[in-house]
């Protein structure tokens, strides 16, 4: 699941700094093994919003410039993974992320894949993050989920 979240947010897009939502803060998000504290820092550099997300697994930058970014690397199981992600800020209200993930074994045989669309915004009631996700794994049926990560 962590890889899915990372893939969904790998690249963010915006043409101007004010077009992206203010997501900076520390949140407590439900995880597969319990609650996970997640910090989001946000800066604007040359008119591009950059989010830095930090949790128990480390930190990564999300650059909101409208570009599709590809990340490749070895998984914990020794397979090879590729993530293509494109993210778009929808005004100052939400951030939409589209990610495609493919994992192959040493022989090049596909062993896992998923496609996901995630919309992130500010939850009006709690001030936390509002998450809405649609995804499918390994060509299966589309699944939908939503939730809130309260602000710490």
């Amino acid at each position: 699941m962590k890889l899915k979240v990372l893939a969904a947010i790998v690249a963010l897009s915006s043409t101007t700094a004010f077009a992206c939502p203010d997501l900076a803060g520390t949140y407590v998000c439900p995880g597969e093994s319990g609650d996970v504290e997640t910090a989001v820092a946000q800066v604007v550099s040359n008119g591009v919003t950059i989010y830095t997300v930090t949790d128990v697994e480390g930190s990564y930058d999300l650059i909101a410039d409208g570009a599709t970014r590809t990340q490749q690397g070895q998984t914990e199981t020794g397979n090879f993974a590729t993530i293509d992600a494109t993210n778009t800020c929808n005004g100052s209200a939400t951030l939409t992320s589209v990610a495609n993930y493919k994992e192959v074994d040493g022989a090049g045989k596909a062993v896992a894949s998923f496609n996901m669309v995630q919309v992130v915004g500010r939850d009006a009631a709690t001030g936390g993050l509002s998450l809405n996700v649609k995804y499918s794994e390994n060509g299966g049926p589309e699944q939908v989920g939503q939730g809130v990560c309260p602000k710490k």
Side-chain angles (χ1 to χ4, degrees):
M1 183 64 178
K2 174 64 182 166
L3 189 51
K4 292 178 189 177
V5 173
L6 172 63
I9 310 178
V10 166
L12 306 177
S13 70
S14 169
T15 56
T16 58
F18 63 84
C20 286
D22 178 6
L23 302 177
T26 302
Y27 308 93
V28 179
C29 298
E32 294 173 0
S33 301
D35 290 344
V36 177
E37 186 173 302
T38 303
V40 179
Q42 183 171 341
V43 298
V44 177
S45 178
N46 296 321
V48 175
T49 301
I50 302 170
Y51 298 91
T52 301
V53 179
T54 304
D55 61 20
V56 295
E57 294 188 17
S59 293
Y60 48 93
D61 288 333
L62 310 170
I63 303 169
D65 64 359
T68 297
R69 287 190 167 66
T70 300
Q71 288 189 336
Q72 298 178 325
Q74 193 168 15
T75 67
E76 294 171 355
T77 60
N79 293 329
F80 185 76
T82 301
I83 300 171
D84 293 317
T86 304
N87 301 281
T88 304
C89 293
N90 307 304
S92 61
T94 60
L95 166 70
T96 301
S97 302
V98 179
N100 299 298
Y101 172 87
K102 183 177 180 181
E103 184 176 331
V104 297
D105 63 16
K109 178 182 175 189
V111 294
S113 66
F114 75 83
N115 300 305
M116 179 168 51
V117 176
Q118 176 173 298
V119 178
V120 180
R122 187 68 76 179
D123 180 63
T126 67
L129 294 180
S130 169
L131 306 170
N132 292 285
V133 181
K134 285 195 271 187
Y135 67 97
S136 64
E137 294 183 75
N138 302 315
E142 183 176 272
Q143 300 179 45
V144 178
Q146 61 185 40
V148 173
C149 296
K151 199 163 192 172
K152 182 175 177 188

